[in-house]
Amino acid sequence: MTQTIMIVEDEEKLASLLADYLRQSGFETVWIADGNSVVPRVRERQPDLVLLDLMLPGRDGLDICKEIRSFSQLPIIMITARIEEIDRLLGLELGADDYVCKPFSPREVVARVKTVLRRAGDHAAPVTGGLTLDPDRYLAQLKGRDLELTAVEFKLLHFLYQTPGRIYSRSQLMDRIYPDQRIVSDRTIDSHIKKLRKKIAAVDPDRELIYSIYGAGYKYEPS
Amino acid sequence: MTQTIMIVEDEEKLASLLADYLRQSGFETVWIADGNSVVPRVRERQPDLVLLDLMLPGRDGLDICKEIRSFSQLPIIMITARIEEIDRLLGLELGADDYVCKPFSPREVVARVKTVLRRAGDHAAPVTGGLTLDPDRYLAQLKGRDLELTAVEFKLLHFLYQTPGRIYSRSQLMDRIYPDQRIVSDRTIDSHIKKLRKKIAAVDPDRELIYSIYGAGYKYEPS
DNA sequence: AGTATTCGCCGCAGCTGTGCTACAAAAAAA
DNA sequence: TTTTTTTGTAGCACAGCTGCGGCGAATACT
């Protein structure tokens, strides 16, 4: 099964150079020049990795990265023109998997792509065949099938989903889900987790996505 | 194997001056100007030492030092503008390994770097090849292998780990682990220490990490 | 208005981890 | 040495945490 790399880059020469090298290494490539069409095309094409230029016509790369992260954990490598920029990006914690600085050698980029894919590859199936969330529509899909979540359930899952592996206590989750500081019992979280797990199990009984850590809280892990 | 020094300093001229001298002494250097990106870059790059300016845009140096200490024992040298400041810093017990006062000569800084590295180098293997803790994930790894700790065990180990060599009495440890001031017997600590040692021994039987001091308490020491 | 979801909580069951006890071993004090 | 104090360890009872079904109340929909 060949893997698809989506190249988001407005300079055509640069894009085609990258595409050539990637194809030589056995990847399929998709080229997108306009920032506005990235997100819909990612949803539609479901690439295995995105090479994302920071400076784009139409829309900022940071925005795009954030939006992709809000519904998918697919690997993203950011391309930036200035080396100092990378520090700033790291500080923002966008969730990109790696950063490459212009000017770069195509070989280097291919190497990084392979590294990131291998790293992600350990849980590759769950990433691609896994869960996607669309906060705009409160739409959650697992293996292509809708999960039909309520608002609270969606918020809870979405929050956990954004930082996989990280454990949150019940009170932390309450704070995030109820910005109005209303007082509810810890166990309410458990209730919603219960319903989430039920709905997830209805679609895929074999995969556990939400784990409870005794005495600590819950985490999302697509392992 | 060349060693990497991470320079955290917002004045570019000063940073590049330091970088030049350090490179001449055979070190690799990484420069970071923005305080917010320090921690993620430390995690990513894993430098051998951090030169950390106290006054930074974005985030306070004290904060950064504390956060780095929460997951790693890598050597840190603090740079401060005022000599009086140093006393205050010493009082805070941040866990920095040395302090340098502006204005400094680059030679002096290089000398200090070497001293600290040599001192740390005595137990260099335990530092790098040793234990890493990730509080967000309750994840403890020794020699790359997971330790599978429970919440209480993790908290206990994490607290000891933050100030290696320092001895804590059982009641001090209780206070830290149970913020709700619940009353438990001293010997409970012993129980958890026992389990920690067991789990550590399962991964590395040769290395003692938690020491008991007769009549005083326990300490963590990566020697 | 009525109806249908959804939310938050309760109670019970099952189980893990916790904290304690008892005794052995070690260290310090006598 | 003997005595006293402190620590190591095994084992165990149960407190506390989590999963789950269900139920009234709140909310949204018609």
Side-chain angles (χ1 to χ4, degrees):
Chain A
M1 188 195 87
T2 62
Q3 293 178 298
T4 305
I5 314 295
M6 184 170 285
I7 303 170
V8 184
E9 169 62 62
D10 56 320
E11 294 176 49
E12 181 168 1
K13 287 185 72 174
L14 199 55
S16 75
L17 183 68
L18 277 174
D20 284 346
Y21 271 83
L22 286 168
R23 269 198 295 272
Q24 267 183 17
S25 297
F27 296 105
E28 265 186 57
T29 57
V30 181
W31 172 44
I32 296 179
D34 174 44
N36 286 309
S37 53
V38 176
V39 170
R41 293 229 57 193
V42 165
R43 284 190 188 281
E44 170 195 306
R45 183 64 190 261
Q46 303 223 17
D48 296 281
L49 185 147
V50 177
L51 275 172
L52 180 59
D53 195 353
L54 187 66
M55 297 286 283
L56 282 171
R59 197 178 165 194
D60 187 30
L62 300 175
D63 252 26
I64 298 172
C65 183
K66 261 171 78 178
E67 189 175 346
I68 292 177
R69 268 292 164 278
S70 77
F71 67 85
S72 171
Q73 293 298 329
L74 99 157
I76 299 175
I77 298 182
M78 292 281 266
I79 301 172
T80 167
R82 287 182 296 126
I83 182 78
E84 315 94 67
E85 193 73 11
I86 292 183
D87 290 334
R88 194 170 71 82
L89 295 179
L90 282 168
L92 294 177
E93 299 193 7
L94 293 163
D97 296 82
D98 203 352
Y99 300 85
V100 175
C101 187
K102 289 183 188 177
F104 48 74
S105 79
R107 288 177 198 287
E108 185 196 344
V109 174
V110 172
R112 301 250 192 153
V113 166
K114 286 181 178 170
T115 305
V116 170
L117 279 178
R118 187 172 35 202
R119 202 190 308 154
D122 300 339
H123 30 245
V127 168
T128 54
L131 183 68
T132 58
L133 298 182
D134 183 348
D136 296 335
R137 312 187 204 311
Y138 275 28
L139 187 70
Q141 285 195 325
L142 182 62
K143 299 209 301 190
R145 295 174 54 187
D146 286 9
L147 280 184
E148 314 256 10
L149 304 182
T150 68
V152 176
E153 286 161 13
F154 187 91
K155 278 188 206 165
L156 181 55
L157 179 58
H158 184 238
F159 180 57
L160 290 170
Y161 175 84
Q162 282 178 309
T163 50
R166 177 156 177 175
I167 298 165
Y168 293 96
S169 70
R170 286 170 177 71
S171 63
Q172 283 178 308
L173 294 171
M174 302 301 291
D175 289 349
R176 279 311 189 106
I177 292 171
Y178 307 104
D180 55 348
Q181 301 281 1
R182 62 198 285 190
I183 306 146
V184 281
S185 150
D186 296 29
R187 304 307 310 281
T188 298
I189 292 293
D190 298 39
S191 273
H192 292 295
I193 295 283
K194 165 187 55 172
K195 286 168 187 166
L196 274 171
R197 293 211 254 231
K198 205 170 198 171
K199 290 181 181 179
I200 289 170
V203 172
D204 188 347
D206 302 324
R207 180 137 15 110
E208 197 119 11
L209 289 176
I210 302 173
Y211 294 85
S212 51
I213 291 83
Y214 192 101
Y218 291 101
K219 70 172 176 177
Y220 170 86
E221 191 125 43
S223 57
Chain B
M1 188 195 86
T2 62
Q3 293 178 298
T4 304
I5 314 296
M6 184 170 284
I7 303 169
V8 183
E9 168 62 61
D10 56 319
E11 294 176 49
E12 181 168 2
K13 289 185 73 173
L14 198 55
S16 75
L17 183 68
L18 277 173
D20 284 347
Y21 271 82
L22 286 167
R23 269 197 295 272
Q24 268 182 18
S25 298
F27 296 106
E28 264 187 58
T29 58
V30 181
W31 171 44
I32 295 179
D34 173 45
N36 284 309
S37 53
V38 175
V39 170
R41 292 227 62 190
V42 165
R43 283 191 189 279
E44 170 198 305
R45 184 64 189 263
Q46 304 223 14
D48 296 280
L49 185 146
V50 177
L51 275 172
L52 181 59
D53 195 352
L54 188 65
M55 297 287 282
L56 281 172
R59 196 178 166 194
D60 187 30
L62 301 174
D63 251 28
I64 298 171
C65 184
K66 261 172 76 177
E67 189 174 348
I68 292 177
R69 270 292 165 277
S70 78
F71 66 86
S72 170
Q73 292 302 326
L74 99 159
I76 299 174
I77 298 181
M78 292 281 267
I79 301 172
T80 167
R82 286 182 296 124
I83 183 78
E84 317 93 65
E85 193 76 7
I86 291 183
D87 290 334
R88 193 171 71 83
L89 295 179
L90 283 169
L92 294 177
E93 300 191 8
L94 293 163
D97 296 81
D98 202 352
Y99 300 85
V100 175
C101 187
K102 290 182 186 177
F104 50 74
S105 81
R107 287 177 200 288
E108 184 197 345
V109 174
V110 172
R112 300 249 193 154
V113 166
K114 286 181 178 170
T115 305
V116 170
L117 279 178
R118 187 171 41 219
R119 201 191 308 155
D122 299 340
H123 31 243
V127 168
T128 55
L131 184 67
T132 57
L133 299 183
D134 183 346
D136 292 337
R137 304 178 136 70
Y138 277 40
L139 188 69
Q141 285 195 324
L142 183 61
K143 300 207 299 188
R145 294 176 53 187
D146 286 9
L147 279 185
E148 314 254 11
L149 305 182
T150 68
V152 174
E153 286 161 12
F154 188 91
K155 280 186 204 163
L156 180 56
L157 179 58
H158 184 238
F159 179 58
L160 290 169
Y161 175 84
Q162 282 178 307
T163 50
R166 174 155 175 179
I167 299 162
Y168 293 96
S169 72
R170 286 169 177 72
S171 64
Q172 283 177 309
L173 295 171
M174 300 304 290
D175 289 350
R176 280 310 190 106
I177 291 171
Y178 306 104
D180 54 349
Q181 301 282 0
R182 62 202 284 188
I183 307 145
V184 281
S185 148
D186 297 29
R187 305 307 310 283
T188 297
I189 292 292
D190 299 39
S191 272
H192 292 294
I193 294 284
K194 166 189 57 169
K195 285 172 185 164
L196 274 172
R197 294 209 253 230
K198 205 170 197 170
K199 290 181 181 179
I200 288 169
V203 172
D204 187 347
D206 302 324
R207 180 138 14 111
E208 197 118 11
L209 289 176
I210 301 173
Y211 294 85
S212 51
I213 291 84
Y214 192 98
Y218 292 99
K219 69 171 177 177
Y220 170 86
E221 193 122 41
S223 57

